[in-house]
Amino acid sequence: MKLYNTDYVITEIKDETKIKLFAENEYYDKVQIAYFDFYFMEGWVMDLKGNKKEVKRHSTIMNFLFKQNLNLGWDSRLVEQAKQNAKQIKSDEAKRYKEQLKEKDEQKASDMINGIKNYEARYTNICKSVENKTDEELYHLVVNTFKHASKRTINEVLNIIKSYNDGSVAYLQNEVTEVDPVIKMDAEATETITMNDNDTPEVFHLNNNTFNTYNEAFNHAVQNQITTTKILSSKHSTMTNERLKQLEHSYIFDKVNMLHEDKKDYFDYLESIPNSLDKENRYYKLKSWIERYEAQQQRQQEEKDRIHNLGLEASKTLKYMVENGLEIKENESYVKYYLNGQDVHTWFSGISADKYHEGIMKIYNSYFKKSSDKEVV
């Protein structure tokens, strides 16, 4: 027996980006046969025997249904609406992410410029570390780091560094620019090494290479167009080089199917390393995915709890009614309830928990509630 027919599919939209597909069984009860989330690009479809198959593309669902019935009727407008909603949400998130990047870079720039003007050692050491670079090398270093910065900001960063090294910083106008994470990392790495007095010296791994300082590893990554998040300190408390390679590979080549635990491990690692453009790009994407996934899991758990509570209430109510005269007769595809020989309700296999609960409570409210002075327990 087919669980549902494929003459027409009812489409419903939920939470903006999710669609649910329903069909009717031979008793005209609505049965959910598919689900898809266009934000996470995941869902499932149920065959005619009730077996569910997970899918990563909405077209897989439709191809399956069209195989059952080439003349299948369905509402494509809601599907398109869910697609557009997901696209808009992702677009809005990308805009917010770029704004956050710019705000952080501007603040770093302000800190650096003010630090140099106030002759703070942290920032004057940065200037000294790039003193021998040519104008072109310094320009590329800054531009490569501040991909989201304005030209004005980049010029101000260059001018403040060169002016300090030329001995003319005191004559600069009080302008605010942006800090260079590449250069800023040099200072942070120096501080870290200074504070490290363990017997084993700290080194930094990058793919199969090892460097004595973070600065060396970072510059090597920039020059060879290697993602800077691959730089791993030998002193890191939780991450190993092999584990980081595995997480990097999963993120780059299969981020959609990346396990939630792996996403969390990678996110925690990114939180622990120095700031860079590569880090921030991945950090905010992972943050958004993790928050959405956990919110989705919470909603699913709440729905499971709701269904469970409905089942408990229906079971207790049914037990009370059976003890007070209700008879149950089961068939292969349906169940009938009798009271004093009268057929009072019928439900068919495949109905939802809500429909089942609704039917049980309807019997109780119609035939038992008036004669009962206490609640069902």
Side-chain angles (χ1 to χ4, degrees), residues 11-181:
T11 307
E12 294 182 2
I13 191 168
K14 180 184 178 184
D15 297 336
E16 297 186 294
T17 65
K18 305 181 182 82
I19 59 163
K20 291 183 176 181
L21 302 182
F22 298 87
E24 292 181 341
N25 61 19
E26 60 181 310
Y27 305 106
Y28 302 102
D29 291 315
K30 194 165 72 169
V31 179
Q32 185 176 352
I33 62 171
Y35 162 88
F36 197 79
D37 186 337
F38 283 100
Y39 183 90
F40 288 102
M41 296 302 289
E42 61 184 16
W44 54 265
V45 62
M46 184 169 64
D47 64 23
L48 297 176
K49 295 182 179 180
N51 302 312
K52 289 183 179 179
K53 175 187 175 182
E54 292 188 357
V55 299
K56 296 297 180 183
R57 301 169 69 92
H58 176 258
S59 59
T60 304
I61 295 175
M62 300 314 299
N63 289 338
F64 173 82
L65 296 176
F66 280 123
K67 283 181 182 179
Q68 313 303 319
N69 184 355
L70 286 174
N71 297 316
L72 170 74
W74 63 296
D75 188 346
S76 61
R77 293 172 300 174
L78 288 179
V79 173
E80 189 60 32
Q81 182 182 335
K83 282 183 184 178
Q84 293 304 317
N85 288 344
K87 185 177 179 181
Q88 186 62 50
I89 289 173
K90 290 180 180 180
S91 174
D92 292 343
E93 287 177 347
K95 288 178 182 177
R96 287 196 298 272
Y97 165 67
K98 288 182 179 179
E99 290 170 359
Q100 289 170 339
L101 277 181
K102 186 172 183 179
E103 288 174 5
K104 291 186 74 172
D105 284 347
E106 292 294 337
Q107 184 58 53
K108 291 174 186 177
S110 176
D111 292 343
M112 182 175 187
I113 289 179
N114 290 330
I116 293 173
K117 290 179 179 178
N118 293 325
Y119 294 95
E120 295 178 20
R122 175 184 180 85
Y123 295 105
T124 56
N125 286 340
I126 296 172
C127 295
K128 293 173 185 176
S129 71
V130 297
E131 187 174 8
N132 295 324
K133 290 190 179 293
T134 65
D135 288 351
E136 183 177 358
E137 288 173 336
L138 185 58
Y139 173 79
H140 285 299
L141 192 64
V142 174
V143 169
N144 184 70
T145 301
F146 298 107
K147 295 178 181 176
H148 295 277
S150 66
K151 291 181 179 179
R152 176 180 177 275
T153 298
I154 290 173
N155 287 333
E156 288 176 345
V157 173
L158 292 169
N159 288 336
I160 191 72
I161 294 173
K162 290 194 290 184
S163 297
Y164 176 85
N165 289 334
D166 292 342
S168 57
V169 69
Y171 300 102
L172 284 177
Q173 295 297 321
N174 231 357
E175 306 254 345
V176 175
T177 68
E178 127 187 342
V179 97
D180 176 359

Side-chain angles (χ1 to χ4, degrees), residues 2 5 12 18 27-28 36 69 73 80 93 136 158 172 193 229 259 270-271 303 306 310 315 328 345 353 359 362-363:
K2 291 183 179 181
N5 69 62
E12 294 182 2
K18 305 181 182 82
Y27 305 106
Y28 302 102
F36 197 79
N69 184 355
E80 189 60 32
E93 287 177 347
E136 183 177 358
L158 292 169
L172 284 177
I193 293 170
T229 54
L259 295 175
L270 291 176
E271 274 196 316
E303 179 65 8
R306 187 185 73 83
L310 286 180
S315 177
I328 305 174
H345 183 67
K362 184 177 180 180
I363 301 173

Side-chain angles (χ1 to χ4, degrees), residues 112-322:
M112 182 175 187
I113 289 179
N114 290 330
I116 293 173
K117 290 179 179 178
N118 293 325
Y119 294 95
E120 295 178 20
R122 175 184 180 85
Y123 295 105
T124 56
N125 286 340
I126 296 172
C127 295
K128 293 173 185 176
S129 71
V130 297
E131 187 174 8
N132 295 324
K133 290 190 179 293
T134 65
D135 288 351
E136 183 177 358
E137 288 173 336
L138 185 58
Y139 173 79
H140 285 299
L141 192 64
V142 174
V143 169
N144 184 70
T145 301
F146 298 107
K147 295 178 181 176
H148 295 277
S150 66
K151 291 181 179 179
R152 176 180 177 275
T153 298
I154 290 173
N155 287 333
E156 288 176 345
V157 173
L158 292 169
N159 288 336
I160 191 72
I161 294 173
K162 290 194 290 184
S163 297
Y164 176 85
N165 289 334
D166 292 342
S168 57
V169 69
Y171 300 102
L172 284 177
Q173 295 297 321
N174 231 357
E175 306 254 345
V176 175
T177 68
E178 127 187 342
V179 97
D180 176 359
V182 172
I183 303 171
K184 183 171 182 285
M185 291 308 108
D186 296 351
E188 290 182 346
T190 302
E191 292 174 0
T192 303
I193 293 170
T194 302
M195 294 188 296
N196 250 335
D197 5 78
N198 294 339
D199 294 336
T200 306
E202 181 180 30
V203 295
F204 297 87
H205 304 290
L206 177 59
N207 291 339
N208 296 321
N209 300 313
T210 302
F211 301 87
N212 292 326
T213 67
Y214 184 90
N215 179 30
E216 292 175 6
F218 196 95
N219 288 335
H220 178 83
V222 171
Q223 292 166 8
N224 293 277
Q225 297 183 328
I226 301 173
T227 307
T228 55
T229 54
K230 292 183 178 181
I231 300 172
L232 176 65
S233 167
S234 60
K235 299 290 186 179
H236 198 282
S237 59
T238 59
M239 187 62 66
T240 65
N241 202 24
E242 288 305 312
R243 175 61 171 157
L244 180 57
K245 286 179 181 178
Q246 176 194 347
L247 293 174
E248 285 273 347
H249 185 274
S250 297
Y251 182 88
I252 293 169
F253 296 104
D254 198 23
K255 60 173 66 70
V256 173
N257 297 318
M258 198 173 178
L259 295 175
H260 179 63
E261 293 75 14
D262 287 348
K263 286 180 180 176
K264 290 207 69 173
D265 284 350
Y266 193 34
F267 178 79
D268 291 341
Y269 164 72
L270 291 176
E271 274 196 316
S272 71
I273 65 175
N275 287 330
S276 70
L277 193 61
D278 290 327
K279 166 191 168 173
E280 290 175 348
N281 191 319
R282 298 180 179 199
Y283 177 88
Y284 286 107
K285 284 183 179 178
L286 285 166
K287 187 173 185 289
S288 175
W289 289 337
I290 290 169
E291 287 176 351
R292 280 180 160 271
Y293 176 82
E294 291 181 349
Q296 181 187 53
Q297 292 297 105
Q298 183 178 345
R299 288 194 296 271
Q300 289 177 354
Q301 186 58 51
E302 289 171 354
E303 179 65 8
K304 286 181 182 178
D305 293 342
R306 187 185 73 83
I307 296 298
H308 177 70
N309 291 334
L310 286 180
L312 284 178
E313 184 178 30
S315 177
K316 292 176 180 178
T317 304
L318 183 60
K319 179 182 177 183
Y320 169 81
M321 293 190 295
V322 168

Side-chain angles (χ1 to χ4, degrees), residues 327-338 343 345-349 356:
E327 296 181 47
I328 305 174
K329 293 187 178 181
E330 298 183 11
N331 195 289
E332 183 178 347
S333 59
Y334 63 87
V335 176
K336 283 184 174 291
Y337 298 93
Y338 294 89
D343 181 354
H345 183 67
T346 303
W347 63 263
F348 298 92
S349 60
Y356 175 75

